[in-house]
Amino acid sequence: MSAVPRSGKPTGRFRRMLDRLSSSQEDLESEELREDAATAGCRRIGDCQDREIVTVTGTLRTVTLRPRAGVPALEAELFDGTAALDVVWLGRRSITGIEPGRKLIASGRIALSRGRRVLFNPKYELRPLGRE
């Protein structure tokens, strides 16, 4: 029996090592984020549907202050290796620990706004620094 899964790609140690050496840094980071989501028991952002209550994890790519209807709103883009999600805290100008490059787990109801997935005022947990 060979070590070739249904996808037709060999999964031996040597093949995995070659794949990692030939992958870009962005591909490697995306793969690591997908593995983190799986080990944390979270949904992949790419699999989330509108109006679904989810728990997702990933890395904050950007954090900006953007008023919505005259109210301050802190917006962050969360990326998990499959897709991006906008996380918005209404009425907040800043939150300690919410900064680009920080990993977090967020829970709430997904909404679609202008074709993008959004979590408004989610429950969140900052992931510990150290493995980065």
Side-chain angles (χ1 to χ4, degrees):
M1 197 140 70
S2 67
V4 179
R6 292 182 183 188
S7 67
K9 203 172 186 186
T11 60
R13 266 190 215 164
F14 184 69
R15 182 70 213 170
R16 286 193 305 264
M17 183 181 72
L18 282 178
D19 286 345
R20 289 187 67 81
L21 290 173
S22 63
S23 297
S24 70
Q25 184 66 25
E26 186 176 325
D27 292 339
L28 293 174
E29 289 172 0
S30 293
E31 179 62 31
E32 182 181 323
L33 289 170
R34 286 190 295 269
E35 289 173 5
D36 281 351
T39 57
C42 296
R43 293 278 310 269
R44 290 181 169 189
I45 293 172
D47 296 338
C48 296
Q49 302 297 318
D50 188 26
R51 298 178 178 228
E52 187 175 22
I53 296 175
V54 297
T55 300
V56 295
T57 187
T59 300
L60 295 175
R61 284 182 164 172
T62 61
V63 178
T64 57
L65 178 61
R66 183 171 298 139
R68 289 177 173 250
V71 176
L74 185 65
E75 292 188 12
E77 182 183 67
L78 183 70
F79 181 71
D80 75 345
T82 63
L85 170 100
D86 292 332
V87 182
V88 179
W89 288 274
L90 299 170
R92 302 296 300 262
R93 294 185 191 282
S94 67
I95 299 174
T96 304
I98 301 296
E99 56 196 26
R102 188 68 189 252
K103 293 184 180 183
L104 66 84
I105 297 173
S107 300
R109 187 176 300 273
I110 295 281
L112 286 179
S113 176
R114 299 183 196 131
R116 290 184 56 93
R117 293 174 183 93
V118 182
L119 272 179
F120 287 101
N121 295 325
K123 293 180 186 176
Y124 67 95
E125 175 185 334
L126 296 171
R127 304 282 302 273
L129 297 171
R131 284 189 12 180
E132 283 113 38

